Amino acid sequence: MSTAPGREAEHREPPFAVRRHTAHDATVLVLEGDLDIVSAELAGEALSDAQAAGGTVVLDLTGLRFM
C-alpha cells in the first residue's frame, strides 16, 4: 500500500486486546484499547477463564482508551 507524497502511513493499534499474566499470586488481566459492546464478549470470556482458574483476579484498565 502506498501513501500520498509527504504523508506517512498511519499506525493503527488493534481496537481491543487482553493480555494475561501472573503477579503476586494473582492473575492480572490487562485490557487495552476500546472496551465497547463489540469487545465486551472477549473481555467477559477472559474474565471467566481467569475466575475458573481460581485465586485472585486483578483487572488493569489503565490501557483503555474508551469504556
Side-chain angles (χ1 to χ4, degrees), residues 6 9 13 26 29 35 40-41 44 46 48 52 60 62-63 66-67:
E13 296 179 20
L29 298 177
L35 178 58
E41 184 175 350
S48 292
D60 179 347
T62 59
F66 173 83
M67 184 165 79

Side-chain angles (χ1 to χ4, degrees), residues 1-12:
M1 176 188 282
S2 63
T3 59
R7 295 189 67 187
E8 295 180 25
E10 291 182 32
H11 173 73
R12 294 188 182 196

Side-chain angles (χ1 to χ4, degrees), residues 4-6 8-9 12 18 23 25-26 30 32 34 36 40 43-44 52-53 55 59 65:
E8 295 180 25
R12 294 188 182 196
V18 178
D25 297 325
V30 181
E32 300 173 324
D34 297 341
D36 56 19
L59 293 177
R65 294 181 301 253

Side-chain angles (χ1 to χ4, degrees), residues 7-52:
R7 295 189 67 187
E8 295 180 25
E10 291 182 32
H11 173 73
R12 294 188 182 196
E13 296 179 20
F16 182 75
V18 178
R19 290 185 298 114
R20 179 180 177 159
H21 64 91
T22 303
H24 306 287
D25 297 325
T27 300
V28 180
L29 298 177
V30 181
L31 281 57
E32 300 173 324
D34 297 341
L35 178 58
D36 56 19
I37 196 163
V38 175
S39 58
E41 184 175 350
L42 179 62
E45 289 173 1
L47 181 56
S48 292
D49 290 346
Q51 289 175 317

